[in-house]
Amino acid sequence: MSAPIPPARVKICGLSTPETLEAALTAGADWIGLVHFPRSPRHVDFKAASTLAAQVRGRAERVVLLVDPDDALVRAAVASVDPDLIQLHGRESPERVAAIRTLAGRPVMKAIGVAARADLEAIPAYAGVADRILLDAKAPAGAAHPGGNGHSFDWSILADAELPPGTMLSGGLDAGNVGAALIRTGLCAVDVSSGVESAPGLKDPDRIAAFVAAVRAAR
C-alpha cells in the first residue's frame, strides 16, 4: 500500500492589512508573506509588519520578503517581524545568501527567476546555502519590482529537472491554474500574490479562500 501524498503547502504573499491577513489564516495558509520593498504596491513598513506578524504568531509561519538587503535591513527585519523564514527576492549571490542566513540566524529562501531551461543552472549553488528555493517567473525587462508581476513561466521547463526538496513554485498562479501547476510540476509548495488580488496590492478574501481550496483539492 503506497504512502499517502502529503498536502501541498501554500504561501500567501504581500498581505498588508489585518483583515486580509485573517482571511489567509482562516483559509488555512501555511505561510504568511510580508513584503518590505518600498517600490512594491504590497510594501509594509516594519512598524506595520510587527503588528501583522504578532497576529500570525502560532497560527502560520511568518515570512519577510527583502530585496538585496544590507546588514542593517536584515537586522531590522528580524527585530521587527521575528520571521520564521527570510525570503530573498533580489540579485543576492550565493555568498550573500549564506552571509544573510548567518547574520539573521533564520532559515532563508532564495527566489530564482525562470524564463528558460538555462535559468535552472543557478539552482545548485543556491541550494547549497539556502533552506528553500522558490522558482518565480523572471521579471519582464524594465519591471519595477522583481516579483508579483502576475506572469507565469512555461512549467515544461521543469520536466526531468533535479530540484531540491521543498522547492516552491510562484508566478502567475491563481485558483484556476494552481491545480494544473501542481500536477504538471510535481512540486508540493506554491506561492501566490497578485493571483489573489482585485487590484495591485489589494488582497481579496474570496480569492484567497478559493486559491487555498484549489490547492487542497489538487492534492
Side-chain angles (χ1 to χ4, degrees):
M1 185 174 179
S2 60
I5 299 175
R9 303 188 71 198
V10 182
K11 176 173 171 278
I12 308 294
C13 195
L15 292 154
S16 59
T17 68
E19 294 76 19
T20 55
L21 185 61
E22 193 63 35
L25 292 168
T26 300
D30 300 288
W31 292 281
I32 296 299
L34 304 173
V35 174
H36 187 84
F37 182 54
R39 295 210 306 269
S40 171
R42 304 164 187 96
H43 170 72
V44 290
D45 62 32
F46 284 140
K47 181 178 180 180
S50 179
T51 299
L52 294 169
Q55 183 178 343
V56 180
R57 187 183 301 275
R59 304 172 68 189
E61 293 185 50
R62 295 160 297 177
V63 182
V64 61
L65 184 155
L66 305 173
V67 178
D68 298 312
D70 59 19
D71 287 0
L73 189 62
V74 173
R75 292 190 185 97
V78 171
S80 300
V81 180
D82 187 23
D84 299 289
L85 185 69
I86 295 174
Q87 178 176 334
L88 298 173
H89 219 102
R91 298 184 178 182
E92 302 89 359
S93 67
E95 294 76 17
R96 181 58 181 156
V97 172
I100 290 172
R101 188 178 187 276
T102 298
L103 174 66
R106 306 297 168 96
V108 169
M109 175 165 66
K110 179 67 181 89
I112 296 175
V114 178
R117 180 82 177 193
D119 293 319
L120 304 183
E121 295 173 3
I123 291 176
Y126 284 106
V129 293
D131 299 272
R132 188 180 288 267
I133 298 295
L134 181 146
L135 301 180
D136 193 8
K138 183 174 286 187
H145 33 90
N149 294 297
H151 302 290
S152 60
F153 64 90
D154 181 359
W155 302 322
S156 67
I157 290 170
L158 305 182
D160 302 319
E162 293 188 10
L163 302 176
T167 296
M168 188 180 293
L169 180 68
S170 187
L173 297 176
D174 57 33
N177 66 14
V178 69
L182 288 165
I183 293 168
R184 289 188 60 187
T185 66
L187 296 178
C188 58
V190 291
D191 181 16
V192 67
S193 186
S194 60
V196 292
E197 292 179 343
S198 56
L202 298 177
K203 292 293 187 286
D204 183 297
D206 291 337
R207 295 185 190 192
I208 291 172
F211 184 85
V212 177
V215 172
R216 304 305 185 214
R219 301 289 286 187

